[in-house]
Amino acid sequence: MEWIVKQKNDLKPLYEEEGKIGFGKYYTDYMLKMLYSKNKGWYDAEITEFKDISISPAALVLHYGQEIFEGMKGFLGNDGKIRLFRPMENMNRLNRSASRLMMPEIDGEFVLEGLKKLLLLDKRWFPKNKGNAVYIRPTMIAVEPTVYLKPSDEYLFYIILSPAAGIYGLKELKLYAETEFVRAAIGGTADIKTGGNYASAFYPGKLREKFDALLWLDSQERKYVQEVGTMNIFFVEKGKRLITPKLDGGILPGITRDSIIKIAQHDGYEVEERKITIDEVVDNISKGIFTEAFGTGTAAIVSPVREIFYKDNSYAFSFETDLRNYFYNKLLNIQYGIDEDLFNWVEVIE
Ligand SMILES: Cc1ncc(COP(=O)(O)O)c(C=O)c1O
């Protein structure tokens, strides 16, 4: 199979001010898509104009939520070249999500080849400032028209692009440790990227809307820290050691999480991936042992956490140390091609 590219003449007006691009407000001129059927496999791979899609009201995704997605970014370096950051990791995670939900896997290399063509066609949408990027949203939905409860025999896969700033900017976040609701469960879909995990977080988010985000605890005991709605979490012990919840099936294995762990270890910091209770976290904040915390994610980059609210009390980090900015800069400098790509993570698109 090959990518068919259908170029158009009438391009959309670009956003006016890069400083106001926000997150999820603008979409580029083009998108990539391909179809799947049980008999044919993947077919009709094309890069075409960004436009509405048409599916049956009986499409299986609309009833049973057979849907998965990814979140990745393309960066414009100072040399004017587009860079992707560890893109095969996203392809592989998408395939892990696919197999959990009985959806067909994609050929990661082939999709990446199409994505690169798409990014080059939409190059004029790339923001220039460090921290801004083109957010890339691969999505797969079940489109077989049936309300019969079974995995779909037909799928649509597509990628859309949205120029974006970090979701939280440089805000120091206040988190609410959620003791009532849960995001998703171990053994369920907690460690894959599927829409239901996010939809079920809207209601608890609304209840705690004074806070910037929820800090999820484990689904059985509400005892162990898991992650934040859009990012993994790290606690910093006196500027020397990082502690982050281990991949126990209850959190999304973040690619940024893995990158920060590798950068930290390379730079001589100790990293502990382990179970950590919310009681230990607040106790360590109170004693001044945990001096800071930050979240990591493609959309969130490295976002500072200033305070955690837990059972009627608020616990503020002292911020006596500053690894949050250290890792923010380290990560972005690799992604934008400013620092040497020591880990071979960056793919420059020519
Ligand atoms: C629930 C959740 N956890 C963590 C992350 C961070 O993952 P990554 O670093 O791969 O973007 C995300 C964002 O994709 C997420 O949605």
Side-chain angles (χ1 to χ4, degrees):
M1 192 167 43
E2 272 184 24
W3 290 103
I4 309 283
V5 180
K6 294 183 179 161
Q7 258 175 280
K8 60 174 197 163
N9 298 322
D10 51 331
L11 299 180
K12 297 183 200 174
L14 207 62
Y15 48 85
E16 276 173 16
E17 274 182 64
E18 182 176 329
K20 293 189 185 156
I21 50 174
F23 192 91
K25 279 204 295 195
Y26 299 97
Y27 295 89
T28 61
D29 290 295
Y30 292 95
M31 65 187 283
L32 165 162
K33 64 185 175 59
M34 61 182 185
L35 295 167
Y36 177 93
S37 80
K38 202 174 173 182
N39 299 332
K40 289 201 249 182
W42 288 108
Y43 66 99
D44 271 6
E46 60 179 30
I47 295 162
T48 176
E49 94 184 88
F50 178 99
K51 60 172 191 264
D52 290 355
I53 52 171
S54 165
I55 56 172
S56 164
L60 203 140
V61 61
L62 302 174
H63 312 284
Y64 307 124
Q66 214 188 358
E67 182 267 2
I68 53 172
F69 65 98
E70 267 304 319
M72 49 204 292
K73 272 178 178 169
F75 308 87
L76 193 69
N78 286 344
D79 54 4
K81 289 183 183 158
I82 300 172
R83 288 171 164 73
L84 284 170
F85 184 69
R86 308 186 73 183
M88 271 316 275
E89 298 293 326
N90 293 91
M91 299 297 124
N92 294 338
R93 190 169 64 188
L94 185 87
N95 279 339
R96 288 200 300 275
S97 300
S99 71
R100 176 64 182 82
L101 293 194
M102 289 285 290
M103 299 170 83
E105 293 194 0
I106 50 145
D107 174 345
E109 299 279 353
F110 176 69
V111 168
L112 216 51
E113 184 196 313
L115 173 59
K116 288 176 185 170
K117 290 182 197 293
L118 174 66
L119 291 169
L120 288 173
L121 271 179
D122 273 329
K123 190 166 180 186
R124 71 190 187 100
W125 289 90
F126 272 80
K128 315 245 166 342
N129 297 334
K130 193 170 134 188
N132 295 341
V134 163
Y135 187 77
I136 302 167
R137 171 51 59 83
T139 305
M140 195 194 298
I141 56 174
V143 293
E144 182 182 347
T146 177
V147 293
Y148 188 82
L149 183 58
K150 59 147 202 130
S152 177
D153 285 342
E154 294 166 31
Y155 296 87
L156 167 66
F157 173 80
Y158 59 87
I159 302 182
I160 52 174
L161 307 177
S162 178
I167 32 174
Y168 298 119
L170 294 174
K171 193 169 184 191
E172 296 177 349
L173 303 175
K174 279 190 194 170
L175 303 183
Y176 182 94
E178 180 56 66
T179 49
E180 189 181 352
F181 299 96
V182 294
R183 174 187 158 266
I186 296 180
T189 55
D191 58 351
I192 64 164
K193 254 178 120 61
T194 183
N197 291 352
Y198 300 82
S200 61
F202 289 149
Y203 178 66
K206 175 73 186 160
L207 293 181
R208 327 295 182 202
E209 67 187 347
K210 279 193 296 181
F211 299 87
D212 298 305
L214 300 178
L215 177 62
W216 296 109
L217 305 178
D218 74 282
S219 56
Q220 284 194 312
E221 300 176 83
R222 316 285 192 278
K223 186 173 165 190
Y224 298 99
V225 171
Q226 301 269 260
E227 63 177 327
V228 185
T230 52
M231 50 189 198
N232 297 110
I233 188 147
F234 286 80
F235 301 99
V236 178
E237 193 179 303
K238 295 185 170 164
K240 290 201 175 74
R241 180 182 299 152
L242 301 184
I243 294 123
T244 191
K246 68 173 186 178
L247 301 179
D248 60 356
I251 62 175
L252 190 79
I255 294 156
T256 322
R257 173 189 180 278
D258 183 71
S259 308
I260 295 298
I261 291 174
K262 293 198 164 101
I263 295 171
Q265 286 169 336
H266 173 269
D267 290 358
Y269 295 97
E270 265 176 63
V271 183
E272 281 181 11
E273 294 177 72
R274 65 170 167 91
K275 274 177 169 279
I276 177 160
T277 64
I278 184 68
D279 288 319
E280 180 185 348
V281 169
V282 296
D283 195 39
N284 278 334
I285 301 173
S286 303
K287 289 181 180 150
I289 296 171
F290 283 178
T291 46
E292 55 179 318
F294 54 83
T296 63
T298 301
I301 316 177
V302 173
S303 287
V305 173
R306 182 83 225 198
E307 219 173 304
I308 294 177
F309 189 86
Y310 175 58
K311 287 189 177 165
D312 300 328
N313 283 308
S314 190
Y315 302 86
F317 292 94
S318 68
F319 277 12
E320 269 166 33
T321 56
D322 191 5
L323 291 189
R324 58 199 181 279
N325 280 309
Y326 177 81
F327 288 115
Y328 175 87
N329 286 316
K330 277 265 166 173
L331 181 71
L332 288 188
N333 286 349
I334 294 176
Q335 291 173 332
Y336 288 82
I338 298 164
D339 283 353
E340 192 190 340
D341 180 18
L342 280 177
F343 306 91
N344 229 348
W345 283 339
V346 174
E347 278 195 42
V348 180
I349 304 176
E350 307 278 0

